[in-house]
Amino acid sequence: MFSPTDRPKRIYQMTHGVLNLPRNPLLDLLFGHSLINCHVEHHLFPFLSDNMCLKVKPVVSKYLTEQKLPYQEDGYVSRLTMFFHKYQELMVFAPSITELVGVQ
């Protein structure tokens, strides 16, 4: 997504590459808030606890909106539909992991 030698600041990387999904009690219980509902906040502040991620979520959302940066949120059905329609691109024709990390 970004060149390894000429990457933008972390805030631009995280706001363009991460999205939040709605809260789900089962997923919150199994994985915590930061993995699903506060994913943007988790990537911006990786050492915050799950409860703090929930508390800073409105502040982060407001700040990113004011700075004209994307605050990406989407629903489960929309993501599943997108994955279904782009399955070939995302799973079949995707480069191998060794190409992505530079291991040959």
Side-chain angles (χ1 to χ4, degrees):
M1 187 169 173
F2 298 109
S3 166
T5 56
D6 189 29
R7 294 189 322 196
K9 291 183 178 180
R10 180 178 177 86
I11 192 166
Y12 293 103
Q13 292 180 53
M14 295 303 118
T15 57
H16 285 85
V18 180
L19 75 108
N20 290 342
L21 292 170
R23 289 191 74 174
N24 180 311
L26 180 62
L27 293 175
D28 282 353
L29 179 66
L30 294 175
F31 302 111
H33 310 296
S34 60
L35 195 62
I36 307 291
N37 181 252
C38 298
H39 209 124
V40 174
E41 292 77 9
H42 167 71
H43 279 272
L44 289 173
F45 311 106
F47 298 108
L48 279 182
S49 69
D50 280 356
N51 289 332
M52 286 304 293
C53 279
L54 284 175
K55 290 179 181 177
V56 301
K57 186 176 179 175
V59 176
V60 170
S61 172
K62 181 180 176 196
Y63 175 79
L64 293 177
T65 305
E66 289 172 354
Q67 298 300 314
K68 308 235 184 315
L69 289 167
Y71 185 76
Q72 301 187 57
E73 295 182 289
D74 205 357
Y76 294 103
V77 174
S78 173
R79 284 286 112 180
L80 188 60
T81 304
M82 186 273 308
F83 181 75
F84 179 75
H85 289 297
K86 292 188 173 192
Y87 181 80
Q88 294 286 330
E89 178 187 338
L90 296 172
M91 302 302 288
V92 177
F93 300 123
S96 68
I97 191 69
T98 56
E99 285 183 44
L100 294 174
V101 295
V103 176
Q104 302 300 325

